[in-house]
Amino acid sequence: MFIVFIGPPGAGKGTQAQRLVAHLDIPHLSTGEMLRQAVLENSQVGLLAVPYLDGGRLVPDAIVAGIVGERLEHSQCARGCLLDGFPRTLGQAAGLDEYLKKRGRKLTAALELRIGRIELLRRLQTRSRADDTAQTIARRLDVYRLETEPILAYYEEQRILRTIDAAGSVDEVFERIRTALEPAPE
Ligand code: B4P
């Protein structure tokens, strides 16, 4: 089962991903976490990623595709995984489809976490991560609208998009996700 999580910054992708991977017993691949880890380790990828993370911009597709491809090759991902925060551009989405197709696999579902701007800002302001400054948040929301939202139509066309109302408690949102992944009745 290969699932992707899409949503604006602060929608709760990371929060819900932790629950969902425990529920489905599949690995969790968060590109945000991988990039932050690379920065901590001062690796080449980390050094390249810093200005993008600090500026609230997307790290270039080639860098992100490289780190995701490496992780997907791990044997734990052979029967599936949850991709959290990836894809974020149409190029990444097409690259992922191609990667899976070559291996005779395809995405099971694309889960969109949808939430209003006021609640997003409230959540991000209480989190206080390095890239959660007012200016960076505004940039990340614009980037989401311009570069990531077009992916929704791409997955809608493939009939695998499931839109989840991400307002409410963590438990309530998780229950909606669980229900959205249940097979439709015959
Ligand atoms: P990410 O790490 O993916 O982070 P995010 O979008 O900011 O947050 P997320 O939606 O996971 O929110 P969370 O659960 O933490 O990306 C960071 C950066 O990395 C990007 O800006 C970009 O520069 C780069 N990047 C990542 N992937 C990339 C890619 N594919 N291509 C290019 N660049 C990429 O929740 C937020 C807060 O809300 C938390 O404090 C949480 O506790 C709280 N919360 C969650 N659910 C809640 C609920 N139901 N009620 C109340 N609070 C809740």
Side-chain angles (χ1 to χ4, degrees):
M1 183 176 240
F2 288 89
I3 297 174
V4 299
F5 249 147
I6 304 164
K13 299 181 293 293
T15 305
Q16 294 299 331
Q18 285 178 13
R19 295 212 163 189
L20 191 57
V21 294
H23 176 67
L24 297 174
D25 191 22
I26 54 175
H28 176 197
L29 269 63
S30 158
T31 42
E33 287 294 322
M34 288 188 238
L35 292 166
R36 283 187 289 277
Q37 187 59 33
V39 172
L40 277 180
E41 289 166 1
N42 253 325
S43 68
Q44 204 187 351
V45 166
L47 293 172
L48 288 168
V50 168
Y52 296 97
L53 295 174
D54 287 351
R57 287 174 296 135
L58 293 181
V59 173
D61 284 356
I63 298 177
V64 179
I67 58 171
V68 171
E70 223 173 84
R71 287 288 290 277
L72 282 174
E73 287 300 319
H74 287 194
S75 56
Q76 301 103 297
C77 295
R79 61 179 196 91
C81 68
L82 172 61
L83 289 151
D84 160 10
F86 179 92
R88 265 173 151 100
T89 64
L90 277 172
Q92 292 179 11
L96 177 63
D97 276 352
E98 202 179 311
Y99 177 94
L100 292 174
K101 196 174 169 192
K102 274 189 191 149
R103 287 155 183 81
R105 314 299 296 263
K106 58 179 183 169
L107 278 182
T108 314
L111 299 175
E112 176 203 2
L113 293 183
R114 190 176 287 186
I115 186 153
R117 195 177 173 106
I118 291 173
E119 174 62 9
L120 278 185
L121 294 176
R122 193 191 65 75
R123 289 183 186 179
L124 292 173
Q125 276 155 8
T126 49
R127 179 169 72 174
S128 75
R129 206 170 65 193
D131 59 343
D132 285 341
T133 64
Q135 200 186 359
T136 314
I137 291 170
R139 167 81 60 80
R140 285 157 63 204
L141 290 173
D142 285 346
V143 167
Y144 179 77
R145 189 170 45 82
L146 292 171
E147 301 198 43
T148 307
E149 272 187 358
I151 298 178
L152 301 175
Y154 176 85
Y155 287 133
E156 177 85 75
E157 230 167 77
Q158 294 185 17
R159 299 181 170 276
I160 57 167
L161 181 69
R162 309 273 180 277
T163 297
I164 317 288
D165 174 6
S169 72
V170 173
D171 285 346
E172 283 166 345
V173 177
F174 181 66
E175 196 45 36
R176 290 177 202 140
I177 292 173
R178 217 183 45 76
T179 307
L181 286 174
E182 280 171 2
E186 293 285 307

